[in-house]
């Protein structure tokens, strides 16, 4: 196998999880680094849990993250189809090869019989492995069972494969990430490779597909390690070349339990809906198990690809620190050029009538409100006062600021003077300077003067630069709001 070919093989039983996104990223980086190919295969053998919406979500999320595949269901390729449910005619042929070679056998056990075996094992406090009851059925016995209407499943004969290719019942391989891994295969039991309904099981379909798609390196989560041992034996039984394997540590929540919904978003699309930038998300995900050689953590994927070495991936679990993601996201927001940011913020401003602002006003609003944004959706609550004729006053702003005598004096003076001002930022800046000066002479602190104006115009005591806010709103709206605040 000279060409590097890697793949990501998600099961569409949910939206694309960040863990799968990380696996996809490391495969993608490995392909880029080695001038290889990155393949997308959809593993939809479990029809009940599969949905087209999840398939679409997987495509969209990977694309949004910039993890474009060279071969896959939509783009095709030499080794398609790339959707398992379209490959069902391929698997029986290989199951037959294993049957012919004696590495597999038909199993006629009913679910009830298997259940009894399991219960007996539990009663004896033993780990359950299939009894191999059907291993040596004669042709007559099989014919008899078929005549009874039983349809066989096909089981892989672990012990036979192990014995044929390894001197002891221990199987080992050199993992690209974790080093040598070993397992006693006696404990596996002869697992089903083809169900009685003719559908392949995961461990079988994945080997056949990876083999036929000429996958050279399989990089996936460590939860698949026990599958890998089984899969190696299937490759060997088929006489196929065994690919190299690399298993990534798991991603844990800050409390070190499995990352799940209760910790926050887990699907890439959920992060996007919350206002995370995919560039930030993918950069963050890359750091779950990998670190840049120069210590510079903010890095676009292309730069990471240059620096990436699979042997340097940490073999231990990584913690998904939402705080760090937030920090990174705010950094990426700061790096966005204004036009891109304006576009990206629009979905989060849907509750406002953006047509109230012309392009220059919208640009300025974004300029003066972007600084504190951690996620894009923070904009929603940061800008209500830029819209509408009137403004909602927070109750404590009313009592603590607007109701005071000082504020009322400030607002009356402001209304009287500002009606003659030109509401252009530079001019407003000068006028407000003078205005504050007049009140300062009366013993009112400049901060207090501005507070009163801000409270009347925005309904809040904190917010965007005041001069810019006044200029964006324009004289009519500002004076109207100030009049409303005067008793
Ligand atoms: N469909 C499997 C999953 O989503 C793929 C595992 C593998 O990479 O082999 O877990």
């Amino acid at each position: 196998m000279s060409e590097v070919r890697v793949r990501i093989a998600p099961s569409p039983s949910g939206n694309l999880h960040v863990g799968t996104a990380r696996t996809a990223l490391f495969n993608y980086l490995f392909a880029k680094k080695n001038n290889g190919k990155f393949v997308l295969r959809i593993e939809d053998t479990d029809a009940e849990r599969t949905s087209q919406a999840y398939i679409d979500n997987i495509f969209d999320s990977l694309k949004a993250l910039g993890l474009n595949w060279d071969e896959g269901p939509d783009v095709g390729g030499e080794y398609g189809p790339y959707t398992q449910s379209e490959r069902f005619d391929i698997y029986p042929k290989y199951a037959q090869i294993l049957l012919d070679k004696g590495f597999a056998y038909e199993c006629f056990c009913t679910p009830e019989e298997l259940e009894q075996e399991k219960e007996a094992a539990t009663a004896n406090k033993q780990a359950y492995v299939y009894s191999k009851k059907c291993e040596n059925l004669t042709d007559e016995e099989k014919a008899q069972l078929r005549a009874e209407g039983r349809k066989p499943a096909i089981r892989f004969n672990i012990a036979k494969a192990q014995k044929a290719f390894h001197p002891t019942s221990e199987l080992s391989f050199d993992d690209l990430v974790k080093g040598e891994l070993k397992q006693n295969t006696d404990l596996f039991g002869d697992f089903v490779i083809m169900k009685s309904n003719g559908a392949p099981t995961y461990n079988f379909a994945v080997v056949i597909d990876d083999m036929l798609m000429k996958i050279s390196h399989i990089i996936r989560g460590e939860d698949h390690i026990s599958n890998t041992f089984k899969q190696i034996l299937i490759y060997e039984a088929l006489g196929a070349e065994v690919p190299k394997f690399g298993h990534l540590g798991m991603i844990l929540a800050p409390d070190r339990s499995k990352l799940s919904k209760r910790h926050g978003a887990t699907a890439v699309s959920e992060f996007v809906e919350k206002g995370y930038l995919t560039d930030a998300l993918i950069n963050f995900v890359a750091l779950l198990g990998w670190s840049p050689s120069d210590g510079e953590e903010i890095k676009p994927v292309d730069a990471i690809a240059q620096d990436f070495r699979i042997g340097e991936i940490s073999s231990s679990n990584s913690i998904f620190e939402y705080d760090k993601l937030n920090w990174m996201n705010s950094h990426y927001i700061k790096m966005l050029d204004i036009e891109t940011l304006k576009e990206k913020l629009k979905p989060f401003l849907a509750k406002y009538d953006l047509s109230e602002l012309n392009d220059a006003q919208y640009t300025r609003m974004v300029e003066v409100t972007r600084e504190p944004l951690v996620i894009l959706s923070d904009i929603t609550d940061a800008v209500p006062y830029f819209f509408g004729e009137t403004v909602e006053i927070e109750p404590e702003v009313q009592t603590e600021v607007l109701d005071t005598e000082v504020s009322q004096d400030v607002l009356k003076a402001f209304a009287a003077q500002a009606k003659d001002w030109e509401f252009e930022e530079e001019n407003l800046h000068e006028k407000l300077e003078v205005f504050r000066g007049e009140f300062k002479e009366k013993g009112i602190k400049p901060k207090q003067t501005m507070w009163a104006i801000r409270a009347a115009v925005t309904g809040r005591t904190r917010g965007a630069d005041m001069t810019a806010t006044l200029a964006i709103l324009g004289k009519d709206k500002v004076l109207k709001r100030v009049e409303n605040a005067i008793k």
Side-chain angles (χ1 to χ4, degrees):
M1 270 183 213
S2 48
E3 196 194 10
V4 166
R5 291 178 54 84
V6 293
R7 57 33 166 210
I8 178 83
S11 303
S13 56
N15 291 332
L16 188 83
H17 191 277
V18 280
T20 314
R22 181 187 61 160
T23 306
L25 171 66
F26 286 171
N27 276 283
Y28 175 89
L29 293 170
F30 189 71
K32 285 277 158 284
K33 180 90 190 183
N34 295 290
N35 291 319
K37 291 278 188 311
F38 174 53
V39 176
L40 170 64
R41 181 172 70 233
I42 295 293
E43 299 206 325
D44 59 345
T45 48
D46 187 348
E48 271 163 40
R49 298 179 63 209
T50 292
S51 91
Q52 187 58 43
Y54 292 144
I55 295 177
D56 293 343
N57 181 278
I58 290 168
F59 283 18
D60 294 346
S61 301
L62 288 171
K63 281 183 194 156
L65 293 169
L67 303 177
N68 297 311
W69 47 96
D70 302 299
E71 296 167 28
D74 53 342
V75 293
E78 220 179 309
Y79 306 100
Y82 292 88
T83 301
Q84 270 183 344
S85 60
E86 292 168 21
R87 301 173 62 82
F88 271 32
D89 55 330
I90 295 175
Y91 309 113
K93 189 169 106 197
Y94 292 93
Q96 190 59 49
I97 293 175
L98 293 180
L99 286 170
D100 293 346
K101 288 183 162 186
F103 289 122
Y105 58 88
E106 290 178 314
C107 171
F108 291 83
C109 291
T110 62
E112 295 73 30
E113 286 168 336
L114 295 172
E115 197 46 47
Q116 275 172 10
E117 284 192 1
K118 277 181 204 160
E119 278 167 19
T122 313
N124 292 331
K125 296 197 165 54
Q126 278 170 346
Y128 171 68
V129 286
Y130 174 60
S131 65
K132 284 175 159 290
K133 199 159 101 188
C134 294
E135 185 185 5
N136 296 311
L137 294 177
T138 62
D139 287 346
E140 290 71 40
E141 285 167 323
K142 287 188 216 169
Q144 172 63 34
L145 289 159
R146 277 202 167 81
E148 285 173 23
R150 294 204 195 188
K151 282 209 174 91
I154 300 175
R155 286 183 187 272
F156 187 67
N157 196 327
I158 287 273
K160 228 168 175 182
Q162 178 72 34
K163 219 186 240 142
F165 304 105
H166 305 274
T168 65
S169 50
E170 191 169 84
L171 180 56
S172 72
F173 70 95
D174 195 13
D175 190 276
L176 296 165
V177 177
K178 293 184 178 282
E180 195 189 22
L181 295 176
K182 291 183 203 165
Q183 172 80 45
N184 182 328
T185 57
D186 287 345
L187 309 167
F188 283 141
D190 293 345
F191 58 94
V192 171
I193 55 172
M194 294 289 286
K195 297 184 207 166
S196 59
N197 66 6
T201 58
Y202 158 72
N203 272 314
F204 188 54
V206 78
V207 169
I208 303 306
D209 290 349
D210 286 335
M211 176 181 82
L212 296 178
M213 292 179 184
K214 298 199 162 46
I215 301 302
S216 61
H217 296 75
I218 295 179
I219 303 164
R220 60 187 171 194
E222 67 176 29
D223 48 334
H224 283 292
I225 289 177
S226 68
N227 289 327
T228 297
F229 289 106
K230 295 176 185 171
Q231 292 170 18
I232 288 173
L233 289 177
I234 299 178
Y235 281 101
E236 290 174 332
L238 287 167
E241 191 172 341
V242 182
K244 299 251 180 304
F245 290 92
H247 292 90
L248 310 171
M250 302 310 285
I251 301 178
L252 303 179
D255 66 5
R256 305 211 163 238
S257 65
K258 189 170 174 254
L259 188 68
S260 75
K261 290 213 181 305
R262 76 190 159 85
H263 300 107
T266 54
V268 169
S269 51
E270 270 178 274
F271 283 100
V272 171
E273 279 158 27
K274 286 186 178 217
Y276 288 90
L277 297 172
T278 47
D279 287 351
L281 189 59
I282 199 72
N283 189 162
F284 170 76
V285 156
L287 301 174
L288 297 171
W290 173 83
S291 34
S293 55
D294 59 3
E296 180 52 68
E297 293 198 312
I298 304 271
K299 267 202 170 67
V301 171
D302 288 349
I304 292 173
Q306 298 308 315
D307 200 17
F308 182 77
R309 263 164 292 272
I310 188 150
E312 289 169 9
I313 293 180
S314 153
S315 62
S316 45
N317 295 332
S318 318
I319 306 289
F320 195 97
E321 304 279 5
Y322 286 89
D323 290 346
K324 180 165 178 182
L325 172 61
N326 286 343
W327 165 76
M328 200 163 251
N329 201 62
S330 67
H331 188 88
Y332 270 86
I333 291 179
K334 287 186 178 62
M335 295 200 299
L336 283 183
D337 67 82
I338 187 75
E339 289 305 320
T340 309
L341 180 59
K342 277 162 64 185
E343 278 314 303
K344 289 202 181 287
L345 289 174
K346 279 184 181 163
F348 303 98
L349 295 168
K351 70 185 238 192
Y352 304 114
D353 181 5
L354 273 185
S355 71
E356 285 184 42
L357 305 178
N358 63 29
D359 187 55
Q361 289 168 318
Y362 179 51
T363 304
R364 192 70 185 124
M365 184 194 88
V366 173
E367 280 171 355
V368 295
T369 51
R370 69 182 295 173
E371 170 62 25
L373 300 178
V374 173
I375 50 180
L376 296 173
S377 54
D378 288 341
I379 196 73
T380 315
D381 292 330
V383 297
Y385 53 85
F386 286 101
F387 301 92
E389 291 298 310
T390 56
V391 73
E392 200 180 313
I393 310 282
E394 290 173 1
E396 58 278 23
V397 173
Q398 182 68 46
T399 52
E400 281 162 37
V401 185
L402 293 177
D403 289 349
T404 65
E405 216 180 303
V406 171
S407 291
Q408 289 295 315
D409 287 347
V410 168
L411 293 176
K412 279 175 203 154
F414 182 86
Q417 293 189 27
K419 68 179 189 323
D420 300 324
W421 295 352
E422 196 200 325
F423 269 57
E424 180 276 318
E425 259 185 74
E426 214 172 307
N427 180 56
L428 279 171
H429 192 77
E430 285 167 22
K431 293 278 193 267
L432 284 168
E433 181 100 34
V434 176
F435 186 78
R436 282 193 296 261
E438 288 168 10
F439 275 88
K440 199 172 169 202
E441 275 170 24
K442 294 185 212 167
I444 313 295
K445 287 199 191 106
K447 208 161 100 184
Q448 233 179 332
T449 308
M450 292 312 286
W451 250 356
I453 300 171
R454 181 182 291 282
V457 174
T458 71
R460 304 176 171 198
T461 50
R462 253 188 292 246
D465 175 80
M466 202 58 229
T467 318
T469 305
L470 296 177
I472 294 165
L473 285 167
K475 194 191 291 189
D476 288 353
K477 276 187 191 168
V478 168
L479 289 182
K480 196 166 192 179
R481 292 180 186 184
V482 170
E483 292 295 349
N484 285 344
I486 295 172
K487 305 229 148 170

